[in-house]
Amino acid sequence: MSSLQTGVFLKQVSEDLFQILPPCRNHPSCLTDTSPVVPGADPARTQLCFEWGPAEMLLCETLFGRRGGERRGAPGGSAGPAPTGCGVAGGGDGAPGPSRVFVVRRDQDIYMETLRKLFNESHGIFVGLQRCEEERAARARNAQLVQVSKNYRSVIRACMEDMHQAAISARDSALHSQYSIQVSILSAMELIWNLCEILFVEAAPAGPLLLRLLDWVQLHICDVDNMVREVLGSENPSKHKLFWNVVDIFVLQGRMDEARHLLSKEAIANPTSMNMYKILDDLMKKMPVPSLGNTQTLTEMELKWQHWHEECQRYLQDGTFASNSHMESICKILLGDENAILEKKELMTTWYHFLVTRLLYSHPTVKPMELRFYAQSSMDMFLGEESNPEPLDTILMAAFEFELHQVIKECSVALSNWWFVAHLTDLLDHCKLLQSHNLYFGSNMREFLLLEYASGLFSHHSLWQLGVDYFDHCPEYGRVYLELHIERIPLNTEQKALKVLRICEQRQMHEQVRSICKIMAMKALRNNRLGSALSWSIRAKDAAFATLISDRFLKDYCERGYFSDLDLIDNLGPSMLLSDRLTFLGKYREFHRLYGEKRFSEAARLLLMLMTAHIAPCSFWMTLLTDALPLLEQKEVIFSAEQTYELMRCLEDLTARKLDKQKFQDDDVETMKVEMLRLALARNLARVIVKEGTLEGS
Amino acid sequence: MFVARSIAADHRDLIHDVSFDFHGRRMATCSSDQSVKVWDKSENGDWHCTASWKVCINSYYTEILLFLFYFCREIFSRSGNVCLRSWKTTHSGSVWRVTWAHPEFGQVLASCSFDRTAAVWEEIVGESNDKLRGQSHWVKRTTLVDSRTSVTDVKFAPKHMGLMLATCSADGVVRIYEAPDVMNLSQWSLQHEISCKLSCSCISWNPSSSRAHSPMIAVGSDDNSPNILAKVQIYEYNENTRKYAKAEALMTVTDPVHDIAFAPNLGRSFHILAVATKDVRIFTLKPLRKELTSSGGLTKFEIHIVAQFDNHNSQVWRVSWNITGTVLASSGDDGCVRLWKANYMDNWKCTGILKGNGSPVNGSSQQGIFNASLGSANTSLQNSLNGSSASRKQS
């Protein structure tokens, strides 16, 4: 795309900006402030009930007054409200239509798919800017900041081109206009940013300043480009009816070489006035321009300028160009004649173009601080008395006046999102401009804007991840904001939970880590996913919950006879020590493994230890003793005499305890179990005594 | 601000409360039609009602039992027939408020209603075909029946205090319940009963989890008898006596109070409290150091009013903070919700107005019922910048 036709858009921008402004004084909702409302006088009147959510707000119509109003009317007052059912019966009593709930969002722009690129790419630039070292030499630092600023602008431009393409390809006219509005807003942003870059970030000194402003105008006033293309593309440009317009445009924009090129064509076509063309061409060639390097001093430049100016003046007074009004007016422009320049108003389209042209031909060595006078008078001259400046004009004017604060303020009001002000203010703060402009609250303002922007990002289901880095670079409240926002991120999936968790862990946000794990553990438990619940509660270091889940595992085992989530329990490691019950679960599972691997004596030792060291909960002893049965019945003797005595003691402890608590249930199964155990223990004891005796004897 | 969606709530009467869950993925509504509905947001952003149930007891048999219960209680308490009279006229109840517990405790709702009860509900995950139909199953875990009059507000305590619940009622009693076992929500024990002397309309827990701050609850009263009693009282938990005791009363608030809200703390040493009365007021409560206070371990506060707005022109019914406590929303008799925000200079300004004008809304149209002022979020900055430049001129 050779030209964005920005000029056209800019005009739109001004209108859009005006619409976006919250004109509170004439806003319809503000009118109600002045109309008296008698409370409860109008029963049909409804109030709004609302609720804040993390990203959205809920609103619905209700009648608070009904509750309060009727209570007021009720005798005795304390008797409570009258029956509410009557609201339905007395339909006139503001009985609502179909009740509706409204979901309201704050930052519309955050949800625009086409702006994602802007948010994503500027995030990278932002993070890079925060990282770059402070110690560098002032000069290198300045160059770096200018580069950062240019990067931001190129992101805006890229986004604008995408949006422009989208607008072209959009079939729906509403969509088309929506995209076009966005393009115009973006192009206004870029225009403002570019000016801020020249004036604040780069802080171009007198001389180069004008060149930068010329570039700025050439870059952004593009709606004449069509005309230029048309004329240059025609067979015989000099015969084209817009020929002189194009020459004027080149002159007004300071594009001397191009203007001379066109003029030379005209000169060839008109051999009679060859001399006149030659003089004008010579004047244009000789026009001194401020150089970017330090090859000439300002005074030198001014001297040359003075000389050239007098030469132009002489030719004009001679009447050299009197025969050709076009050329005469060009000569007047070269002399900086304001009226002559103003005559070309429609070729400049904006007052700031006029300002730059005027500076070019009358004050080429303008100092930054003098800009404000020329800017103000240019605007007045260009717009005339009656027209009101639009928001974009005010913003640019504030920039020319070096009122940083005013620029940020006006932009916040005029633009519909926080992206622009947050990033611009951050950049200006890195340039140390906010302090030097005596804005003692500068860093607060930077943080305020960044917090607002990042909070907006957090209301989006995926952009929130960008917001994290912005909060990280807000020294005062960033952390608290992040804590409050991040715990509200919906944990739809385990992956998302892990992502959020990682962010919290990196920042040592222990409470949030605990809370997220606890929420996930609870969710898993509710869905009967015990393994997941256990691993989340281990991560949360939540002992009580781990106990609860271990109990569930054991209960499930008792009921079903096998463990679920074996690999988790097998690999508990040191986290087993989180709670006693979890330790038991791990150890008990270990017993099963040993048993399965036929390492009976180890299994037996572990089983006994679980009881004697009181790791096993009492309620589980019976199960453990039953587990001992097959070991007791093995061919070879596994429990030593001493161990068998211990087992017997455990069994007797258990039965005694049960007797204490309640009358021993004459539960047949239970009694039989105890009897069987006693028998097995006695048999084992007999065998082991024999065995140990023979071993000793031998 | 813009309306992203409108949802037909399908309640047969006025909706009294809407409530988002902690993550903003679910919501609950309650209404005069005695029902509570739960809504879930699908992946594509649509909201679906996944549960709806009647809150109050409306079987004839239980009503008779309840009548007898109240009758006996009246006789034993010999406190006149006030309650009995109200019983006759109110055997069903609007549900005033509904609120979600923190997801750490599972999916739990509490509601309070005109039938003198508050109830705790829990979602059951079943393997039934409910799930297939996109329905969830909620069971009532407990009914808290201690109040003699309409229960006007119910709020879960901040999660660091465990699973606790406060209710307040028109007879002027704040009750604090606790579920000692978070896995068994049918067991709630009444831990504290605070008598506030005035008919209570609203409560708010102080959300601060800082160890420097004791548990604290603010109570508002909508008592409108002509007196000059403070309508906002602040109770603080005393570790020594293990009781809640009145720490402060906002003497300047003498008009009926309809809602009250502590702001999220943001690590500040002081607290911010918003009050909805005949106007919107924002107070700061700075705890004074303990040794300066004489009243046995209770914190005393230095109270300042930092903002007061009468833009609603009349009664204000609701106040509530956004999650960072930076924007306060208030709703009033002017039919608007107004948003208030402090800038980095601590100037409070209106940053947006949401208005319901009762006109019908097309589901898709965005210029619907709410004439939100566009770019409203930015007005604060404008105002703030105005304010600061003014102060700069003075300095």
Side-chain angles (χ1 to χ4, degrees):
Chain A
M1 188 174 55
S2 58
S3 137
L4 263 175
Q5 309 198 338
T6 331
V8 180
F9 294 129
L10 279 181
K11 211 165 165 212
Q12 276 180 8
V13 165
S14 318
E15 290 158 17
D16 296 332
L17 289 179
F18 184 69
Q19 284 165 10
I20 291 161
L21 261 174
C24 200
R25 250 164 277 111
N26 34 13
H27 193 275
S29 58
C30 297
L31 292 179
T32 55
D33 288 355
T34 51
S35 59
V37 178
V38 184
D42 178 6
R45 246 198 121 73
T46 55
Q47 291 113 28
L48 293 175
C49 168
F50 65 90
E51 160 87 342
W52 285 103
E56 297 158 326
M57 207 173 172
L58 292 177
L59 284 167
C60 87
E61 292 195 343
T62 187
L63 268 176
F64 293 112
R66 185 151 117 189
R67 177 151 53 138
E70 281 169 5
R71 188 177 297 169
R72 240 169 270 146
S78 66
T84 42
C86 71
V88 188
D93 184 20
S99 51
R100 281 182 168 272
V101 177
F102 297 92
V103 182
V104 180
R105 283 181 185 162
R106 296 203 80 186
D107 287 307
Q108 187 159 22
D109 286 357
I110 294 289
Y111 296 93
M112 288 202 63
E113 278 303 309
T114 33
L115 286 176
R116 277 187 78 100
K117 191 171 175 179
L118 180 70
F119 299 137
N120 273 317
E121 296 193 1
S122 56
H123 164 257
I125 303 172
F126 173 82
V127 172
L129 175 60
Q130 312 304 310
R131 285 211 196 105
C132 70
E133 315 108 64
E134 298 270 330
E135 305 94 82
R136 292 210 198 176
R139 203 182 191 130
R141 168 109 183 129
N142 188 264
Q144 191 185 24
L145 289 168
V146 172
Q147 191 51 50
V148 168
S149 175
K150 284 189 172 139
N151 291 345
Y152 275 126
R153 278 201 295 125
S154 72
V155 171
I156 302 178
R157 285 225 149 225
C159 191
M160 190 158 66
E161 291 196 18
D162 286 356
M163 199 81 86
H164 187 69
Q165 291 303 328
I168 291 170
S169 57
R171 290 202 192 124
D172 181 8
S173 71
L175 203 62
H176 176 84
S177 71
Q178 193 196 351
Y179 284 134
S180 306
I181 288 171
Q182 281 297 326
V183 171
S184 55
I185 291 174
L186 285 168
S187 98
M189 280 184 186
E190 213 253 336
L191 176 81
I192 300 165
W193 193 299
N194 197 353
L195 184 62
C196 290
E197 180 184 308
I198 295 166
L199 297 177
F200 307 138
V201 182
E202 191 177 2
L209 174 66
L210 185 73
L211 294 179
R212 292 271 178 270
L213 290 176
L214 269 177
D215 288 344
W216 176 64
V217 163
Q218 284 171 18
L219 189 64
H220 290 97
I221 309 287
C222 323
D223 60 342
V224 289
D225 283 7
N226 279 338
M227 199 193 288
V228 174
R229 218 175 303 124
E230 192 189 325
V231 170
L232 291 183
S234 67
E235 271 176 43
N236 191 353
S238 56
K239 290 284 175 286
H240 198 282
K241 62 180 188 304
L242 294 174
F243 173 80
W244 283 107
N245 277 356
V246 172
V247 175
D248 285 344
I249 286 167
F250 285 145
V251 173
L252 289 170
Q253 293 190 4
R255 292 152 78 173
M256 286 310 179
D257 293 340
E258 287 159 275
R260 284 172 55 209
H261 178 72
L262 265 188
L263 277 177
S264 65
K265 285 186 180 172
E266 174 75 2
I268 294 161
N270 293 316
T272 46
S273 46
M274 188 66 125
N275 194 34
M276 206 160 71
Y277 283 108
K278 199 151 186 230
I279 291 170
L280 187 60
D281 185 66
D282 204 38
L283 281 179
M284 286 162 79
K285 194 170 86 183
K286 277 198 289 184
M287 180 183 153
V289 278
S291 72
L292 273 179
N294 277 340
T295 47
Q296 63 174 359
T297 61
L298 272 185
T299 17
E300 252 178 85
M301 160 74 198
E302 268 164 3
L303 269 175
K304 275 192 199 165
W305 171 264
Q306 204 60 41
H307 186 73
W308 175 78
H309 202 257
E310 277 160 17
E311 199 180 342
C312 293
Q313 192 79 41
R314 214 162 41 239
Y315 281 120
L316 186 66
Q317 278 162 6
D318 286 354
T320 315
F321 304 115
S323 60
N324 187 326
S325 64
H326 294 300
M327 287 167 84
E328 188 171 30
S329 88
I330 289 178
C331 187
K332 278 183 184 164
I333 293 172
L334 293 185
L335 277 168
D337 185 329
E338 278 157 9
N339 292 325
I341 299 174
L342 264 181
E343 269 172 33
K344 314 288 176 194
K345 203 170 174 174
E346 64 277 10
L347 295 180
M348 292 184 288
T349 64
T350 60
W351 64 268
Y352 41 91
H353 188 340
F354 171 59
L355 163 71
V356 174
T357 309
R358 189 176 155 212
L359 289 173
L360 175 66
Y361 294 112
S362 51
H363 310 278
T365 55
V366 64
K367 293 187 186 70
M369 282 306 146
E370 296 163 353
L371 272 178
R372 59 169 68 214
F373 309 111
Y374 299 118
Q376 188 63 54
S377 60
S378 300
M379 190 166 90
D380 291 345
M381 285 159 78
F382 192 86
L383 296 178
E385 293 295 303
E386 67 279 4
S387 69
N388 287 323
E390 281 162 359
L392 184 60
D393 302 328
T394 333
I395 293 168
L396 295 176
M397 183 55 76
F400 283 123
E401 288 172 345
F402 283 82
E403 292 281 351
L404 274 187
H405 193 215
Q406 189 73 13
V407 173
I408 294 164
K409 171 183 152 182
E410 298 282 347
C411 289
S412 332
V413 176
L415 297 168
S416 59
N417 65 52
W418 295 100
W419 179 88
F420 182 80
V421 272
H423 287 89
L424 182 64
T425 310
D426 176 60
L427 179 64
L428 294 179
D429 190 45
H430 275 87
C431 299
K432 308 256 177 284
L433 280 171
L434 299 179
Q435 289 103 312
S436 64
H437 278 71
N438 255 336
L439 303 179
Y440 60 93
F441 48 83
S443 59
N444 289 350
M445 183 167 74
R446 170 189 170 273
E447 176 156 333
F448 180 88
L449 295 170
L450 286 176
L451 288 174
E452 286 301 325
Y453 173 62
S455 297
L457 290 177
F458 259 88
S459 67
H460 189 275
H461 59 86
S462 67
L463 288 175
W464 63 269
Q465 295 164 76
L466 306 178
V468 175
D469 287 315
Y470 287 91
F471 281 141
D472 279 349
H473 292 104
C474 295
E476 198 178 353
Y477 284 113
R479 177 153 175 126
V480 196
Y481 268 62
L482 181 59
E483 285 174 358
L484 287 168
H485 277 290
I486 202 143
E487 59 183 16
R488 303 279 181 155
I489 297 293
L491 308 168
N492 316 8
T493 59
E494 296 246 329
Q495 286 98 311
K496 197 163 179 195
L498 288 170
K499 192 187 271 178
V500 176
L501 202 62
R502 201 161 47 242
I503 291 169
C504 295
E505 277 169 349
Q506 281 162 0
R507 289 159 182 80
Q508 273 100 42
M509 291 159 48
H510 303 299
E511 170 51 25
Q512 280 67 31
V513 168
R514 191 202 60 75
S515 186
I516 290 164
C517 294
K518 183 75 193 282
I519 292 169
M520 292 308 286
M522 190 56 139
K523 205 165 154 186
L525 182 65
R526 276 165 35 81
N527 288 298
N528 259 323
R529 290 185 282 113
L530 289 185
S532 168
L534 184 59
S535 61
W536 280 113
S537 59
I538 288 170
R539 266 191 111 145
K541 299 197 176 54
D542 185 339
F545 214 62
T547 302
L548 195 133
I549 297 164
S550 307
D551 273 340
R552 280 281 183 91
F553 263 112
L554 294 169
K555 195 170 135 243
D556 277 9
Y557 170 73
C558 289
E559 282 166 8
R560 289 186 273 175
Y562 60 89
F563 281 110
S564 52
D565 301 283
L566 278 181
D567 47 344
L568 173 70
I569 304 172
D570 282 344
N571 296 304
L572 281 174
S575 55
M576 195 191 278
L577 300 173
L578 179 62
S579 92
D580 290 350
R581 202 57 50 82
L582 188 59
T583 317
F584 172 65
L585 176 67
K587 289 286 170 196
Y588 185 55
R589 165 60 199 153
E590 199 180 320
F591 161 75
H592 275 264
R593 214 184 56 231
L594 290 172
Y595 185 85
E597 291 165 4
K598 300 216 185 309
R599 290 151 71 184
F600 294 131
S601 58
E602 281 169 79
R605 217 176 303 131
L606 180 60
L607 187 71
L608 193 61
M609 189 271 283
L610 286 177
M611 282 185 284
T612 50
H614 289 277
I615 296 172
C618 293
S619 57
F620 215 75
W621 280 28
M622 199 52 183
T623 317
L624 291 181
L625 287 166
T626 323
D627 283 335
L629 261 179
L631 287 173
L632 291 167
E633 297 295 334
Q634 289 288 329
K635 263 186 200 146
E636 53 182 311
V637 181
I638 293 160
F639 286 103
S640 69
E642 208 171 321
Q643 285 176 323
T644 318
Y645 286 128
E646 287 282 339
L647 274 178
M648 291 167 116
R649 196 174 55 79
C650 290
L651 180 63
E652 293 318 308
D653 276 2
L654 184 66
T655 45
R657 216 177 293 143
K658 281 209 166 153
L659 274 175
D660 276 355
K661 266 190 191 159
Q662 72 222 53
K663 282 251 169 165
F664 198 81
Q665 288 177 324
D666 39 7
D667 183 348
D668 284 344
V669 184
E670 198 79 346
T671 334
M672 212 174 72
K673 250 190 209 168
V674 174
E675 287 311 314
M676 268 173 66
L677 271 171
R678 280 192 180 133
L679 182 67
L681 284 167
R683 276 161 49 121
N684 189 67
L685 190 60
R687 283 161 64 194
V688 78
I689 287 172
V690 172
K691 187 187 163 199
E692 282 174 4
T694 49
L695 276 179
E696 263 167 45
S698 64
Chain B
M1 283 277 187
F2 65 105
V3 174
R5 229 169 209 98
S6 90
I7 305 152
D10 215 21
H11 275 288
R12 280 181 293 120
D13 203 343
L14 266 186
I15 295 176
H16 288 294
D17 201 10
V18 282
S19 177
F20 257 132
D21 81 332
F22 188 72
H23 292 120
R25 302 277 309 174
R26 316 189 84 183
M27 68 170 176
T29 53
C30 65
S31 154
S32 272
D33 67 6
Q34 306 164 23
S35 69
V36 169
K37 285 177 198 273
V38 173
W39 307 76
D40 281 87
K41 192 180 189 179
S42 64
E43 284 306 315
N44 62 12
D46 289 334
W47 288 88
H48 300 285
C49 180
T50 53
S52 172
W53 65 90
K54 283 259 177 182
V55 165
C56 60
I57 315 132
N58 44 11
S59 114
Y60 183 66
Y61 184 63
T62 36
E63 272 184 26
I64 292 174
L65 278 181
L66 253 182
F67 173 79
L68 285 173
F69 170 72
Y70 282 102
F71 184 75
C72 299
R73 202 162 81 172
E74 288 311 314
I75 288 174
F76 289 121
S77 63
R78 284 174 288 156
S79 65
N81 56 356
V82 178
C83 283
L84 204 55
R85 192 200 312 148
S86 66
W87 165 251
K88 281 180 205 157
T89 53
T90 63
H91 48 95
S92 63
S94 296
V95 189
W96 297 138
R97 291 265 194 162
V98 60
T99 184
W100 294 82
H102 193 277
E104 276 183 25
F105 305 111
Q107 295 297 310
V108 180
L109 275 174
S111 64
C112 66
S113 55
F114 189 69
D115 68 358
R116 307 179 178 84
T117 64
V120 177
W121 313 84
E122 189 178 21
E123 187 183 31
I124 302 296
V125 180
E127 279 127 50
S128 67
N129 48 7
D130 277 357
K131 227 176 177 177
L132 295 174
R133 285 186 287 120
Q135 295 296 299
S136 63
H137 187 54
W138 289 76
V139 291
K140 186 193 268 188
R141 288 301 188 198
T142 193
T143 310
L144 307 169
V145 292
D146 301 277
S147 170
R148 291 154 160 255
T149 52
S150 169
V151 181
T152 48
D153 200 358
V154 60
K155 294 273 165 69
F156 282 104
K159 70 166 190 294
H160 64 267
M161 292 169 64
L163 188 50
M164 286 182 115
L165 187 67
T167 65
C168 72
S169 51
D171 59 3
V173 183
V174 173
R175 294 180 177 85
I176 296 172
Y177 300 88
E178 183 174 16
D181 176 6
V182 296
M183 295 313 293
N184 179 7
L185 298 186
S186 49
Q187 296 275 320
W188 288 83
S189 55
L190 177 57
Q191 295 283 325
H192 304 280
E193 249 185 334
I194 310 166
S195 174
C196 301
K197 312 282 192 301
L198 290 168
S199 161
C200 301
S201 57
C202 50
I203 39 181
S204 175
W205 289 94
N206 184 344
S208 171
S209 61
S210 155
R211 274 159 202 229
H213 301 143
S214 311
M216 189 193 290
I217 190 164
V219 186
S221 165
D222 59 355
D223 183 289
N224 62 345
S225 49
N227 57 35
I228 50 154
L229 295 173
K231 298 300 190 302
V232 174
Q233 300 173 23
I234 289 155
Y235 293 87
E236 192 190 41
Y237 183 68
N238 186 324
E239 291 290 344
N240 301 328
T241 60
R242 292 167 184 273
K243 281 202 168 89
Y244 280 86
K246 195 197 283 189
E248 272 306 338
L250 302 186
M251 301 311 291
T252 51
V253 185
T254 54
D255 295 292
V257 168
H258 306 293
D259 201 8
I260 194 163
F262 272 111
N265 186 267
L266 297 185
R268 287 179 295 240
S269 62
F270 59 94
H271 313 294
I272 299 182
L273 183 70
V275 175
T277 172
K278 66 180 199 300
D279 47 21
V280 180
R281 293 186 206 181
I282 301 169
F283 293 92
T284 55
L285 291 84
K286 286 198 176 78
L288 297 170
R289 282 190 299 158
K290 288 248 158 127
E291 54 263 35
L292 297 176
T293 63
S294 52
S295 56
L298 268 184
T299 320
K300 282 283 158 198
F301 295 93
E302 193 183 317
I303 299 172
H304 288 290
I305 184 159
V306 289
Q308 184 167 10
F309 304 106
D310 56 3
N311 306 48
H312 284 295
N313 269 324
S314 178
Q315 296 301 314
V316 183
W317 296 97
R318 277 288 170 91
V319 281
S320 166
W321 298 91
N322 69 345
I323 61 166
T324 45
T326 44
V327 183
L328 176 74
S330 64
S331 171
D333 267 341
D334 60 350
C336 296
V337 169
R338 288 168 192 269
L339 306 178
W340 313 95
K341 184 164 169 51
N343 67 340
Y344 48 86
M345 310 285 290
D346 275 333
N347 293 332
W348 289 87
K349 291 280 158 60
C350 178
T351 70
I353 299 160
L354 298 158
K355 188 182 152 113
N357 58 11
S359 65
V361 187
N362 299 326
S364 58
S365 163
Q366 296 207 338
Q367 302 104 5
I369 191 165
F370 297 107
N371 301 323
S373 54
L374 283 168
S376 54
N378 296 324
T379 331
S380 65
L381 185 72
Q382 178 197 21
N383 292 331
S384 63
L385 293 158
N386 280 337
S388 56
S389 53
S391 60
R392 199 149 47 103
K393 269 175 214 150
Q394 285 163 11
S395 62

